Amino acid sequence: MTAEVKTGQSETRQVKTGPCPVCGAPPETAAPFLEESIDPAKMSGFSYASRKTPEYMSHRLVRCTSCDLVYVADPPKQEALAEAYHQAEYDSAEEAADAASAYIRAMAPAFAELPSRKGVLEIGSGTGVLLERLQALGFDGLVGIEPSAAAIAAAPANRRPWLKEGIFHEGDFEPESFDLICCFMTLEHVRDPLAVARSAYRLLRPGGAFVTVTHDYQSPVNRLLGAKSPIIDIEHMQIFSDASIRTLFQRSGFSRITARPFRNRYALNYWLRLAPLPKGLKALVAKTLSSTGLGRLKLAVNVGNTLAVGFRDDARP
């Protein structure tokens, strides 16, 4: 299926829609979701950085009417994505630490069901702050894959031995070598999420768990904000819902699947950065928060993120 898309130079180009990257439904069944909106003048080193100020740019998005996944109709090549993330800037250490604390709390019930705590892989590890929290809980054999050179450079010395720069490749690891594989706010960014999930299944020992955090575009806050939601982002190759993340886990062979929302806890300064407010008003509120010290106050909010867990119990897919 093809469509004409206007570019920033008032030109048009043909965009070919591919099959759904989760359930494989043919492109003819996909429904329009959001037209392409990319302004080259807004692009910067932070466009592919984590927890940045929203730019509200996206590739042309369609919705799979079979599994409810929203995905990029014609995604960039893998090489282009890898280079963009390699060059991305990094300045979100505080927010990454806050996110890691929220993730640990949300996935704690899964820890009790693991056969052991030997071998942890984090796909999209940033500076390795989550791995450090897991080490404190008795996990060892820690490995983090991170494409951003800037994020690894920002990691403290004690974490750097765990971190490997690059894109995740299953062949870099021995089968059945991990008890826990984490992929937080990363599945949206890859071209083939099903391949990543199936690779995770094969790399887990029997009884091991694959845990993800993804945005839910069907959540009330994201439905309310629409195209002004921070999840509308040039980085996102797909955006999940409860139905589509469960479909991904099921098609990858996992069992005991759970998917539920949880609360993220960030400083008010960061929540303000995400808010779709006019620049003038946002600057005024930011000044007030800074002058009163309230900007450092941390608030836990359900902003439409889903933590999904699946265990390797069944026959291999």
Side-chain angles (χ1 to χ4, degrees):
M1 182 173 68
T2 61
E4 283 193 348
V5 172
K6 291 186 177 181
T7 69
Q9 292 73 36
S10 298
E11 299 174 350
T12 59
R13 63 182 177 86
Q14 293 292 321
V15 174
K16 183 178 180 180
T17 302
C20 174
V22 165
C23 73
E28 292 77 15
T29 65
F33 185 81
L34 194 64
E35 291 304 314
E36 181 179 286
S37 177
I38 298 177
D39 182 354
K42 291 183 179 180
M43 298 292 291
S44 71
F46 289 99
S47 292
Y48 284 82
S50 63
R51 302 178 181 89
K52 63 180 184 291
T53 299
E55 297 167 325
Y56 309 117
M57 296 192 296
S58 74
H59 300 280
R60 178 172 174 264
L61 298 170
V62 297
R63 184 180 67 84
C64 175
T65 57
S66 188
C67 75
D68 200 37
L69 181 78
V70 167
Y71 64 97
V72 172
D74 186 18
K77 300 295 184 185
Q78 179 62 46
E79 296 78 9
L81 289 174
E83 183 62 19
Y85 286 111
H86 172 72
Q87 295 180 358
E89 301 288 348
Y90 181 84
D91 71 344
S92 56
E94 180 180 352
E95 290 82 17
D98 289 339
S101 297
Y103 299 158
I104 290 289
R105 288 192 296 270
M107 66 176 168
F111 296 159
E113 300 186 51
L114 296 175
S116 70
R117 300 190 177 191
K118 297 188 181 299
V120 177
L121 173 64
E122 184 181 9
I123 303 170
S125 57
T127 64
V129 60
L130 179 80
L131 294 173
E132 188 171 68
R133 303 288 174 86
L134 289 170
Q135 183 188 52
L137 293 174
F139 288 88
D140 60 18
L142 309 173
V143 181
I145 303 297
E146 172 54 48
S148 170
I152 293 177
N158 66 299
R159 298 181 199 157
R160 290 187 188 176
W162 306 332
L163 305 178
K164 300 182 183 299
E165 183 182 335
I167 300 295
F168 168 66
H169 296 290
E170 178 184 348
D172 292 340
F173 307 98
E174 292 294 324
E176 302 184 8
S177 53
F178 298 100
D179 286 319
L180 177 66
I181 298 179
C182 301
C183 188
F184 296 150
M185 295 302 187
T186 298
L187 275 180
E188 288 97 340
H189 301 246
V190 303
R191 280 178 56 94
D192 193 343
L194 184 61
V196 172
R198 286 178 167 173
S199 291
Y201 186 95
R202 291 186 288 266
L203 291 175
L204 285 169
R205 298 187 184 98
F210 182 45
V211 187
T212 68
V213 171
T214 53
H215 301 293
D216 179 3
Y217 79 90
Q218 294 278 28
S219 69
V221 65
N222 288 323
R223 290 170 69 92
L224 175 66
L225 294 176
K228 285 298 183 181
S229 168
I231 70 173
I232 301 303
D233 195 308
I234 194 172
E235 294 182 80
H236 291 163
M237 300 297 101
Q238 51 269 323
I239 313 173
F240 292 87
S241 63
D242 182 86
S244 53
I245 195 65
R246 288 177 183 273
T247 299
L248 178 78
F249 274 70
Q250 291 163 358
R251 296 200 73 219
S252 302
F254 291 100
S255 58
R256 288 187 283 158
I257 299 166
T258 59
R260 62 181 181 84
F262 68 100
R263 295 190 298 171
N264 287 93
R265 184 173 181 268
Y266 292 118
L268 283 177
N269 283 332
Y270 180 67
W271 289 126
L272 176 63
R273 193 194 310 175
L274 298 182
L277 299 175
K279 287 185 178 180
L281 177 59
K282 185 177 287 192
L284 178 62
V285 175
K287 184 177 180 180
T288 302
L289 291 179
S290 177
S291 63
T292 60
L294 290 175
R296 296 189 297 273
L297 181 67
K298 295 191 177 182
L299 181 67
V301 181
N302 175 0
V303 288
N305 294 330
T306 296
L307 183 129
V309 181
F311 290 86
R312 179 183 165 172
D313 294 331
D314 300 333
R316 300 180 186 182

